[in-house]
Amino acid sequence: MSLAVRVIPCLDVDNGRVVKGVNFVDLRDAGDPVELARAYGQAGADELIFLDITASSSGRQTTYDMVKRAADEIFIPLTVGGGVRTVEDVDQLLRCGADKVGINTAALTNPELLNEASKRFGNQCIVLSVDVRRAQTSASGFEATTHGGRQSSGKDAVAWIVEATQRGVGEILLNSMDADGTRQGFDLELITAVRKVCDVPLIASGGAGKVSDFAPAVAAGADAVLAASVFHFGQMSIAEVKADLAEHGITVR
């Protein structure tokens, strides 16, 4: 467990705008990413994650520009993911000001990419982003999906996370598709299952609905807790989440 639990807003970006949906669909607009990044930096966010959720090659330049502008505005670590397919993509995002780069679909297609990226840039800046859903066909009961949760990878999610850490990934962004946008709380069963086999920092994502949802995720094994719509639409503030975590005896920054 890291010394202080991090509270991280996530900006899901589509064509240069922040959007939010439920179970990865029914997206609605949540604002300008650079403005939101600035506001979160001032509001006490420990880090920020940008996920380009429809990262087609056509939108790539938009993303680079947005990352540059956001990195100029904030003084907290910035992780960027979405459409990262090659070591060159990682290099470009780091040059634009990202501190860490999230890799999802491309790693499932070509796991060697994780070895290459962590060897070249250091594992501290390579994050495995994994979109997980329940599947009776998987040994752990969870499978990893690709293409923004739209396709099954055929891989057991827990086994994949173990493999990815062995390949040099320095952090896991664990997205629960079953909990995403439902505001019914984090997927504690999933967090617990991954924590048992994973010794790198774990970011829990998906399901935050109220301030009291965050402490149980930490108790289940998360080193960082992430939320999107509840922060974007003002249901709660980062300060409120940190205050509740502190009340539960959890160290925050």
Side-chain angles (χ1 to χ4, degrees):
M1 183 62 87
S2 58
L3 294 174
V5 166
R6 293 165 287 151
V7 179
I8 305 176
C10 181
L11 307 183
D12 293 318
V13 180
D14 181 15
N15 290 324
R17 298 290 293 175
V18 175
V19 294
K20 194 60 200 132
V22 177
N23 301 123
F24 288 35
V25 293
D26 297 329
L27 303 178
R28 60 180 175 142
D29 189 272
D32 175 73
V34 180
E35 283 174 21
L36 275 169
R38 184 189 305 125
Y40 283 131
Q42 292 166 349
D46 296 308
E47 292 188 16
L48 201 58
I49 294 181
F50 271 10
L51 294 178
D52 186 339
I53 58 169
T54 52
S56 57
S57 49
S58 59
R60 204 16 96 205
Q61 276 323 110
T62 324
T63 309
Y64 290 146
D65 176 59
M66 183 184 67
V67 170
K68 274 187 187 134
R69 290 189 298 127
D72 286 344
E73 294 284 345
I74 59 173
F75 303 97
I76 52 176
L78 174 63
T79 298
V80 182
V84 176
R85 296 176 184 91
T86 64
V87 171
E88 285 64 43
D89 290 340
V90 177
D91 186 48
Q92 189 73 34
L93 285 167
L94 293 172
R95 286 173 191 275
C96 287
D99 298 281
K100 295 185 266 191
V101 175
I103 307 176
N104 184 341
T105 298
L108 281 157
T109 318
N110 171 26
E112 197 61 35
L113 174 61
L114 299 176
N115 302 64
E116 292 168 17
S118 58
K119 192 172 172 185
R120 181 159 159 195
F121 305 108
N123 62 358
Q124 78 288 342
C125 65
I126 304 302
V127 178
L128 180 79
S129 176
V130 55
D131 297 330
V132 180
R133 66 179 172 206
R134 278 170 173 70
Q136 291 171 333
T137 49
S138 293
S140 68
F142 299 100
E143 70 172 358
T145 67
T146 65
H147 301 85
R150 288 189 288 277
Q151 297 176 26
S152 168
S153 69
K155 280 199 179 186
D156 182 285
V158 176
W160 168 232
I161 287 167
V162 171
E163 179 185 337
T165 55
Q166 289 167 346
R167 287 179 178 277
V169 161
E171 189 165 52
I172 306 293
L173 171 54
L174 188 63
N175 308 307
S176 167
M177 290 190 58
D178 299 309
D180 175 69
T182 62
R183 304 192 183 178
Q184 299 296 306
F186 289 90
D187 192 331
L188 304 180
E189 189 188 355
L190 173 60
I191 297 166
T192 304
V194 173
R195 180 78 287 165
K196 279 180 186 160
V197 299
C198 172
D199 54 5
V200 301
L202 194 56
I203 304 169
S205 166
K210 51 192 187 297
V211 169
S212 59
D213 286 335
F214 292 84
V218 176
D223 300 282
V225 281
L226 177 149
S229 58
V230 289
F231 290 148
H232 304 337
F233 299 119
Q235 269 92 7
M236 66 184 77
S237 68
I238 289 171
E240 287 167 337
V241 171
K242 287 190 173 185
D244 186 75
L245 289 172
E247 273 178 30
H248 285 83
I250 295 163
T251 307
V252 290
R253 291 176 184 169

